[in-house]
Amino acid sequence: MSTTQSPIDLQRLTQERKVLFQKEVEAGKLPSDTWPDLNDAAKVKNCYFYLSLIERFWNMMDALDVEVKEYYMARAETRYEKFVRSFEHHTGESPLPPLDVAVFWHAHALSPFRFYEDIMVRYPAARNMFDKGLPLMSIYHARNTIPKYHLERWNRWIPDEPYDLLDEIKDGTRKRFKLTCWEPLCEATIEIPWRKYVQYRFHDMDIHFPHTCASGSESTKSHTSLNQQAKLKLDADVRAHKVAGTLLERNGEDRRKENQIVEYIRIHKTVVPLDNDFDLGYEAAIQDALEALGSEYENDANQFLHAVRTCYKSNPTMFSLDLIHAVRRQRKFYDAVTRMTWRFPDGYCTAIRRYHDFLSLMKYDPKLIAVPSIEIDCAWHTHMLFSGLYHAFCLRHMKRVINHDDTIPESKLLQHSVSTNNAWKSSNIRYKIGGKVETGQTGWSSGYKKVLTASLIPNQTPFGADYNAGKIMLFLPLDENFLKNLNTEYNKGMKTVDGMLAASRSAHSERIEPDKKETISNTYELNDEALKSIQKAITNSMYNNSSYGYVG
């Protein structure tokens, strides 16, 4: 991706807008009184900082060769583990995560169920990560120069790691990888040369390497593999009552009663891998447990087997998600989002308003698995990075946590896309211009034009005060009577006018600047053509690069 195509590069703004925006960013604020806001998380500045983060990461990755990329990703995974574990030994404000750790944190948070289980249930010492969310603004401010106090805090919390992993890459240093054996009776440190570890982690997790396990287990008497370590992790979690993938109710709340299949296996079974495949061994044990307990526990059996296959198999890390693969899957979203033309701030405003409408679809139809457009996904990702806010918002308004699954098979995605498109067609969410009309000046347009601003008001929102649709801006030479007359016609119910003032169900441009040829006559008489022209200006961005059918 070339710099000139970046949707978030300040060089693409006019010089005036660039200077204004940069000053506001550096001051820690943005001129956002006219911009939409959902839950104090999905907001323009946060979307901007989020895309800036992933753009920096993938631009950096694109400059590395394949072998170095794999080493970087493997090291980033272990560094993120150290970051999470460091909360067990320290209190107070945590270090600002460096780029690699921030990107792994972001990929983890984009799986809300897995992130909640890992951080709030399995490793609760790190719950500040969940409660406070990813510090997008601070990461953005430190993108060029890391403040001294951040470096000092990092060195206190994680003294054996450089802050910037690229320093290690550039000087040619390659560390041996250190693993802790997952067998509770062993917990010995296993050291592996970096090239071998990268080969195991990326290409064949069944390759054996030397390790004499203190447990004396025959299967790990003199050697082990990453997949054997993954199986030992699962065994340990079964004994510890914390099997990932079984700890939450379907709505995302903490499970009130332990999965009974897990409990039965912990008490009665010793699971032996079949054909060197531990999920087959667990599948047989789950079937035995189901036969012993009865068919009423079939949901528990299915949940546990799904957890074995998705949270543990081929995943020797401390988390319930293979984060290396989760980060790599996000490349698809990054490539898609950078192909779009993002006009600042309008593109982000549109994304947030569409995201509100998208959530509303699922609110009004709880059975709908809705598929977002790319820009909706941008706002959705941003919201999820504020994990505590997102979790509470979903339970408060949706009565369930809306999960985000980027592993849905393509065939099912197509089915869900059809259902989503039908839901959009039948949606009756509309916006009108309302509230007090204000006249002022703006620097967000070349020439500092005078503008009229007025609120956008949705005809319905299930989220109450948690959603502010923001305002629209009309550039003079229109006058206040224009908006008043426009709303007068709206209130008369001129349903015959195509679209009229009811902005599209999924797109509402923040700024309306009709073409001079389309400007209303000097008398500002509202005829059909004038209304159609304004409606076209409001909804024009809906038809640019916004196909529904993408999950990031």
Side-chain angles (χ1 to χ4, degrees):
M1 184 198 71
S2 66
T3 303
T4 57
Q5 293 177 326
S6 167
I8 53 179
D9 187 354
L10 293 177
Q11 295 293 341
R12 297 195 62 196
L13 304 175
T14 64
Q15 185 62 28
E16 291 172 348
R17 293 172 70 183
K18 173 185 173 183
V19 171
L20 279 168
F21 181 69
Q22 191 67 33
K23 285 181 179 178
E24 296 288 351
V25 168
E26 297 305 329
K29 60 182 181 178
L30 293 173
S32 55
D33 59 319
T34 65
W35 298 347
D37 180 347
L38 183 70
N39 195 213
D40 201 32
K43 22 194 341 180
V44 168
K45 66 176 184 179
N46 291 336
C47 291
Y48 179 92
F49 296 142
Y50 163 53
L51 292 189
S52 172
L53 169 68
I54 62 173
E55 182 177 54
R56 286 172 54 211
F57 177 78
W58 288 113
N59 281 346
M60 178 273 299
M61 289 293 287
D62 287 344
L64 306 178
D65 62 38
V66 173
E67 184 179 68
V68 176
K69 282 180 184 178
E70 291 183 343
Y71 176 80
Y72 184 98
M73 292 284 276
R75 286 280 290 119
E77 180 180 60
T78 61
R79 282 159 54 86
Y80 180 60
E81 286 191 3
K82 288 182 178 181
F83 181 80
V84 173
R85 288 193 184 279
S86 68
F87 286 87
E88 297 172 0
H89 310 290
H90 301 273
T91 58
E93 186 178 354
S94 61
L96 184 70
L99 180 61
D100 60 311
V101 173
V103 168
F104 271 69
W105 178 347
H106 126 273
H108 201 181
L110 294 189
S111 183
F113 278 48
R114 301 283 72 79
F115 189 69
Y116 182 90
E117 275 194 339
D118 286 341
I119 301 302
M120 295 295 285
V121 182
R122 289 154 49 80
Y123 302 101
R127 68 169 297 151
N128 271 357
M129 294 176 62
F130 182 89
D131 291 338
K132 295 183 178 180
L134 186 63
L136 291 171
M137 181 180 287
S138 296
I139 292 169
Y140 177 84
H141 287 318
R143 69 196 184 282
N144 295 322
T145 304
I146 312 300
K148 183 179 178 181
Y149 63 90
H150 281 313
L151 292 174
E152 291 174 346
R153 189 176 296 130
W154 174 270
N155 290 333
R156 287 197 306 270
W157 282 49
I158 313 175
D160 62 339
E161 289 289 347
Y163 185 82
D164 189 345
L165 182 55
L166 270 185
D167 291 342
E168 182 179 302
I169 299 293
K170 291 174 181 176
D171 69 15
T173 302
R174 299 294 182 267
K175 290 190 175 184
R176 293 171 66 87
F177 282 81
K178 296 180 180 180
L179 310 178
T180 299
C181 179
W182 280 105
E183 169 54 60
L185 297 177
C186 180
E187 295 186 346
T189 298
I190 307 170
E191 291 198 20
I192 306 173
W194 74 268
R195 274 200 171 90
K196 287 186 177 293
Y197 181 83
V198 168
Q199 180 187 6
Y200 305 154
R201 187 70 183 87
F202 285 85
H203 304 291
D204 192 345
M205 295 184 62
D206 288 315
I207 296 178
H208 288 94
F209 47 87
H211 171 58
T212 302
C213 186
S215 70
S217 170
E218 189 63 33
S219 63
T220 58
K221 197 169 186 179
S222 61
H223 59 265
T224 188
S225 68
L226 293 186
N227 254 335
Q228 282 185 343
Q229 287 297 310
K231 196 265 183 183
L232 290 173
K233 179 182 74 167
L234 174 55
D235 293 343
D237 284 351
V238 168
R239 292 192 291 269
H241 305 261
K242 59 175 187 178
V243 175
T246 70
L247 303 175
L248 303 180
E249 302 285 354
R250 288 189 174 185
N251 69 347
E253 293 183 298
D254 290 33
R255 185 161 178 155
R256 290 175 284 278
K257 183 179 180 181
E258 184 181 10
N259 183 298
Q260 294 301 288
I261 299 294
V262 174
E263 183 179 38
Y264 181 90
I265 290 175
R266 178 173 59 254
I267 297 172
H268 298 286
K269 304 290 291 185
T270 298
V271 180
V272 178
L274 298 178
D275 299 326
N276 202 34
D277 201 336
F278 77 78
D279 67 321
L280 295 181
Y282 264 96
E283 183 176 359
I286 290 169
Q287 185 61 41
D288 290 345
L290 185 60
E291 291 176 2
L293 295 175
S295 59
E296 64 266 31
Y297 293 100
E298 187 170 353
N299 286 338
D300 279 9
N302 290 334
Q303 183 192 50
F304 187 22
L305 182 59
H306 181 73
V308 170
R309 290 174 172 169
T310 60
C311 298
Y312 290 91
K313 187 176 182 180
S314 302
N315 179 17
T317 73
M318 63 185 278
F319 304 114
S320 61
L321 191 66
D322 186 330
L323 289 174
I324 285 180
H325 288 94
V327 170
R328 293 169 98 180
R329 284 195 302 271
Q330 285 305 310
R331 179 62 193 242
K332 177 183 176 183
F333 169 77
Y334 170 72
D335 288 342
V337 82
T338 52
R339 282 195 297 267
M340 295 180 63
T341 300
W342 289 83
R343 195 174 78 170
F344 188 91
D346 301 16
Y348 302 99
C349 292
T350 301
I352 294 164
R353 291 175 183 138
R354 291 192 192 189
Y355 173 55
H356 161 270
D357 300 350
F358 174 79
L359 288 180
S360 299
L361 298 181
M362 291 186 283
K363 166 70 175 180
Y364 296 131
D365 183 0
K367 295 181 179 179
L368 176 67
I369 300 177
V371 179
S373 65
I374 298 167
E375 60 186 350
I376 290 172
D377 222 14
C378 172
W380 191 6
H381 285 196
T382 303
H383 196 184
M384 285 185 286
L385 297 181
F386 296 85
S387 305
L389 289 175
Y390 180 79
H391 188 87
F393 174 91
C394 286
L395 290 178
R396 181 167 61 251
H397 294 295
M398 315 290 284
K399 308 307 178 188
R400 68 198 190 282
V401 176
I402 304 299
N403 202 16
H404 179 268
D405 188 355
D406 61 1
T407 64
I408 298 176
E410 190 68 27
S411 58
K412 288 190 176 181
L413 262 186
L414 292 174
Q415 296 173 17
H416 297 323
S417 296
V418 171
S419 300
T420 304
N421 284 329
N422 290 335
W424 281 120
K425 290 175 184 177
S426 61
S427 171
N428 61 357
I429 298 175
R430 300 291 187 272
Y431 289 71
K432 72 172 183 177
I433 301 171
K436 182 180 179 182
V437 177
E438 300 174 353
T439 305
Q441 281 191 324
T442 180
W444 291 96
S445 174
S446 179
Y448 292 80
K449 297 180 180 179
K450 289 185 177 180
V451 295
L452 298 177
T453 60
S455 298
L456 269 181
I457 302 174
N459 65 336
Q460 58 181 284
T461 174
F463 309 129
D466 279 334
Y467 177 56
N468 171 24
K471 298 179 180 180
I472 62 165
M473 304 168 68
L474 286 91
F475 293 97
L476 298 176
L478 299 175
D479 65 20
E480 299 86 24
N481 291 327
F482 174 77
L483 283 178
K484 293 177 182 177
N485 291 337
L486 208 53
N487 273 333
T488 298
E489 297 301 325
Y490 178 88
N491 293 328
K492 284 181 181 178
M494 292 178 60
K495 303 300 183 184
T496 57
V497 179
D498 180 24
M500 208 180 70
L501 195 53
S504 161
R505 65 177 63 89
S506 60
H508 331 287
S509 178
E510 138 125 341
R511 178 177 294 118
I512 304 174
E513 189 171 11
D515 214 58
K516 288 184 179 179
K517 295 180 181 178
E518 298 177 341
T519 301
I520 296 186
S521 66
N522 291 333
T523 60
Y524 301 102
E525 180 179 351
L526 292 175
N527 54 47
D528 284 4
E529 290 304 313
L531 289 170
K532 288 180 182 180
S533 170
I534 300 302
Q535 171 64 11
K536 179 181 177 182
I538 294 175
T539 62
N540 186 54
S541 63
M542 175 183 178
Y543 305 104
N544 297 326
N545 305 309
S546 60
S547 61
Y548 294 105
Y550 171 82
V551 170

